[in-house]
Each structure stands twice: as C-alpha cells, then as structure tokens.
Amino acid sequence: MRRPLLAAALSAAAAAALAAPATATASPNTASPNTASVRTPSLPLGPAGLHEQRETERLAPGVTLTSIVRGETSAADAWTLHVRLSVPGNASAVIAPKATAEDAARRLEAAGLRPRVEAVDGPRFADVPAGRVGYVVRVGRYATEADAKKDLPAVTAAGFSAGTSYTAEDGTAATGPWRLHVITVDPRRFGGRVVSSVGGTLTATDKVSDLVRDSGAVAGVNGTYFTSAGKGGSAGLHVLNGELTSEANNGRTAMILPQSGRGVRFAQLSTDLRVRAQDRATRELDGVDRLPGLVDNCGGVGGDQPTERPQHDVTCTDPDELVAFTPVYGASSPAGAGAEAVLDASGRVTELRESRGTAIPAGGRTVQAVGTAADWLRAHARSGTRLALSERVLDHGRPVRLDPRTSILGAGPQLVRDGRVRVDAYADGLVHTGDDQSFYYNWVLRRNPRTMVGVDRDGRLLMVAADGREPGYSEGLSIEEAAEVMRSLGAVQAMNFDGGGSTTMATAGGALVNRPSDAAGERSVGDGILLLPGRG
C-alpha cells in the first residue's frame, strides 16, 4: 500500500525551505552565499534544464546543511496496477522472464482486462553488465492511487494479485520532483566529533531525532542496516569506538570513521574471528552480538546456506555456530537451546551453561554455541580455564587498526571510488542467488529514499538524505542515480547506507530535516552518525 504523506514535523528552517521560495537560494551553477564551494553543478537527475532550487544554512562552524529541490511532476506520470507473477522460489514476484509475463498477460486479457508487458533493463555496474533484467505486467493508467485500487478486484477475479505502483518511481526517464538534503562537514573547521551511536544497547532501536536531541548533537543521519529489535544490532560490520559489535558480511563496503572526521575512508572489509581454548584447541568464531544460526545479509563463514557471499535483505542459516556477546548487546544474551560460556575480563570461564541465555558480565563477555559448536564448547571451555578471542577486521588481508576513537560502519553498495561512479552490485550482495529478480528490480532499479555518505577532494564529509516514495513530493533515487548524485556533489569516495523508511536526517534538538517515508512517521533504527560539539 502506498504510504500517505507524513504530517508536518520539520524544523521551521527546513519547512520554509521545502514549502516556499528560499530566501538564500542558488541557481544550479552558482553557490549559495553561505556555502564554502565556488560552483555547484546541477544534480544529474532528469533532463537538462529542470528547475533546481537550493538553500544553505550554517549549523555550526564547518557544518552546513543544503536542501535541494529539483524538477516537477510530469503529465506522463501515472498510477498503475503492478501484477505479481510466479517464478521459482517466489509465487508473488514483481518481475519475471518474458514467457511468464506474456502468459499472465494472455490470461488477464481473457478476463477482459488490458494488460501491458514492459521490458526492464538494468544499467552497467562494475561487476554486472547492462542488459535485460526481465519483464513486468501492468494494468491501467490512473490519475490517483484510489482510482487504481478500484480495478484491483478485477485483477483478483482473473486469478492474480497486484499492488499499486507510481511510474515516476520506476527508475526510468522522469522529471521529478526530487528533494535532497546535504550536510557538509569540514573537519578542519568543525570543532566537534563525528561518532557512530547506538543510543543504548544493541537490542534497542532509537529514532535519529532522539539520538540527536539526547546527545546534544549538531545533526545526525541514520547509519547501517540493522536486525529486528531484540535480535541484535547491525546486519553487517560495525565497530563502535574501537570495539567490534558485529562481524562483516565479508567483502561488503564499509566506512572507517575517525571521530575527528579526518581521514574518513571506504573499503571492502572482512573479519577473521577465532576462539582459542587453554588446551590450544581453536575454532572459528562465526559472529558477534547476534542470534546464533541466523546471518542477516549473509556473507558469513563456516558453510552458511544458501550462500557465503553477501545477499542483501536475505537471512542465511548455519546450524553450527559460535557467537560472542559483549555488554553493549544488552543486560543478557538471548535464550535458547545450546551451550554458553561466561567469561570474565581476563577471558577466564566462570561458568559453562547447558542452555543459552544469561547475564553478560561487565567487562567480560559470553560465548554461545549451537549444534556441533556446542559440543566443541562443552569439551574445551571448562570452568576455570580460559578462552582467548581473536577479532580482526581485514582490508583485503591487511589488518585494520581498531582504536577507541574510530568506528567502522558496514552497509553498501559502494557508489563512488576515486572520483568515478563504481557500484559493485554483485560483490555487495545486490544480485541474489536463484531466478527471482524482484529484489534487484525493487531495491536497485526503482527509486527509493536513500541515505548516502562520502568524502570530497578536500576531505569534507558529505551526509545525504534523499526523500522518496512520496509521489509529487519526492520520487527517490535508484542506485545508479544515487551514485551519480554523490559524484555530482563532489564525492570522490561514497557509499550507500540504510534507506527506505530508515532514511532520516535531523538537526539540533531533534528537528527533522527530511520526511521519512513510513506511514507511521519516523522509524527507529539501529544506529546513527552524529556530529557532537566539542572534542570530548
């Protein structure tokens, strides 16, 4: 169901920027009086010549917020009914091979409907060639979503299910509108810290506006992909102030973030985790601060199914796992069958439990095990002995130094490398195993709200929120467009963060800058990037 517009919850400055002609605007090729750059190219969205308006305000020394509105609704944009199709592994796919789509169209025509079969092509990415992704089946063109829904019963009567879709979000030619918000941080002038924050424990989620308000931050955006509340924190690599709180989806892109904001860099990182018992027996440690047996976004080790390569929005499984838990996870580890060793600060086993779920000691940790890993733990983690945990983050085999003033946030995909658009769609897990291309179509090719981060040639940090899923207000970005936008904003390195309903940007006091797309309003997320005043 299409999400309704969010009730107004903007700061006065942001609301004025979005609702009325700006008082401090810039033409497409001229910088605003408040910005540090000299010339700003138009966003590479839609055809040339679209109206583009920018307003920039200073949030703190070295920190600016620029809000950009580009384009407008076209008469060619319309609502339609998008028919769900059956492919191997998914009876409700939104895209299918040509024969499947044409067969569905014939059946719909026989029922008195007028379907159309549309080919969908994808762009060339660094590791995925351009070409035909599949075919979609649609019925009708309507002025409003309500009009489209009136024909849903007829589609159902023909033996199909369908949903409403707005054509301007297809990722193909459109005129907008697009609304983006760009926070630029010059670490040479900003006197504060740039930090990753989970608010409290990993098992709780928080709204970005609350994180900003409660910390006294200048501003903040949402961060990494995260698991459901109660399961753990990031669904991918996360190092919080030098402490590993989630292992990598091996090879996915991550941002290495010093608190100073200087020297931010992006890399495809992996983790090497091991447990060594006092009797010298060793075993792979599968994860940190997550439920054993479930690997969100895949990319794990040790025989995970269906694959060990990253798969965004897929949960892989492994019945035989060792997973460590740190105090930042929460007061206690999750309960379940298996075994669990409780370790003090020196790694000494103070208790070996015959089931999972116990208090996590301050300064210590626990190690949970399921399946054959539980047998190993029972054999080698006797009370009074020690377990040594080795945790390394690797950049193509080279260890990444972890220190208390650096965090690492994994997400993906990469968008810009060395000043050029570069999306490793396959390596970053956007290409799923199997025949169903629904995820690639919906998440990669179609327009969605996006959060992106990058750095420019002067070492300035760019944090960008693009609104979407609000027809006539902001259509969002495809992944290809997100990469082109970041390059146009000056990024020489950039990556994609969690988006969709998670895309949120807030300024001092928790004032929302953008319009989160969930029907219920702002979503609670796993973590955020905050600009804190003072070096601390």
Side-chain angles (χ1 to χ4, degrees), residues 193-226:
R193 293 172 290 144
V194 187
V195 304
S196 173
S197 173
V198 298
T201 63
L202 298 180
T203 51
T205 56
D206 301 273
K207 294 179 178 179
V208 171
S209 60
D210 290 340
L211 292 175
V212 171
R213 184 191 63 244
D214 295 347
S215 65
V218 172
V221 297
N222 66 288
T224 61
Y225 305 117
F226 61 97

Side-chain angles (χ1 to χ4, degrees), residues 133-284:
V133 177
Y135 295 80
V136 299
V137 178
R138 288 172 162 177
V139 174
R141 297 181 66 86
Y142 309 89
T144 68
E145 184 178 22
D147 290 338
K149 288 181 176 179
K150 293 176 182 177
D151 281 348
L152 276 174
V155 175
T156 302
F160 293 90
S161 62
T164 57
S165 182
Y166 191 61
T167 59
E169 295 178 2
D170 284 348
T172 53
T175 61
W178 291 276
R179 293 176 187 260
L180 288 82
H181 310 276
V182 184
I183 291 177
T184 304
V185 185
D186 186 345
R188 297 165 297 185
R189 299 176 55 226
F190 178 51
R193 293 172 290 144
V194 187
V195 304
S196 173
S197 173
V198 298
T201 63
L202 298 180
T203 51
T205 56
D206 301 273
K207 294 179 178 179
V208 171
S209 60
D210 290 340
L211 292 175
V212 171
R213 184 191 63 244
D214 295 347
S215 65
V218 172
V221 297
N222 66 288
T224 61
Y225 305 117
F226 61 97
T227 63
S228 300
K231 291 176 58 179
S234 298
L237 178 61
H238 194 202
V239 174
L240 185 64
N241 301 325
E243 180 179 5
L244 183 70
T245 63
S246 181
E247 78 277 10
N249 306 113
N250 285 317
R252 289 200 83 175
T253 303
M255 176 174 72
I256 302 173
L257 178 65
Q259 289 186 5
S260 66
R262 297 174 181 263
V264 173
R265 69 183 184 93
F266 301 84
Q268 287 69 46
L269 302 180
S270 60
T271 43
D272 178 45
L273 313 176
R274 300 185 182 278
V275 177
R276 186 173 187 269
Q278 190 168 308
D279 61 7
R280 299 187 179 182
T282 61
R283 186 178 173 102
E284 204 163 49

Side-chain angles (χ1 to χ4, degrees), residues 366-451:
T366 72
V367 177
Q368 288 194 352
V370 294
T372 59
D375 298 333
W376 185 93
L377 193 66
R378 293 186 185 103
H380 301 288
R382 295 179 297 275
S383 183
T385 64
R386 282 182 167 79
L387 290 181
L389 274 61
S390 169
E391 300 174 339
R392 297 193 304 161
V393 176
L394 302 176
D395 180 356
H396 297 87
R398 299 184 299 274
V400 176
R401 182 173 178 267
L402 305 182
D403 67 73
R405 299 186 69 83
T406 299
S407 294
I408 302 176
L409 297 91
Q414 176 182 248
L415 299 173
V416 180
R417 180 191 292 177
D418 299 329
R420 297 182 178 181
V421 167
R422 182 181 176 93
V423 177
D424 293 316
Y426 185 87
D428 254 319
L430 308 186
V431 180
H432 286 182
T433 60
D435 298 318
D436 184 15
Q437 298 295 318
S438 294
F439 172 81
Y440 196 81
Y441 172 72
N442 276 331
W443 199 92
V444 177
L445 303 184
R446 284 180 57 79
R447 296 186 172 101
N448 291 281
R450 308 279 182 186
T451 301

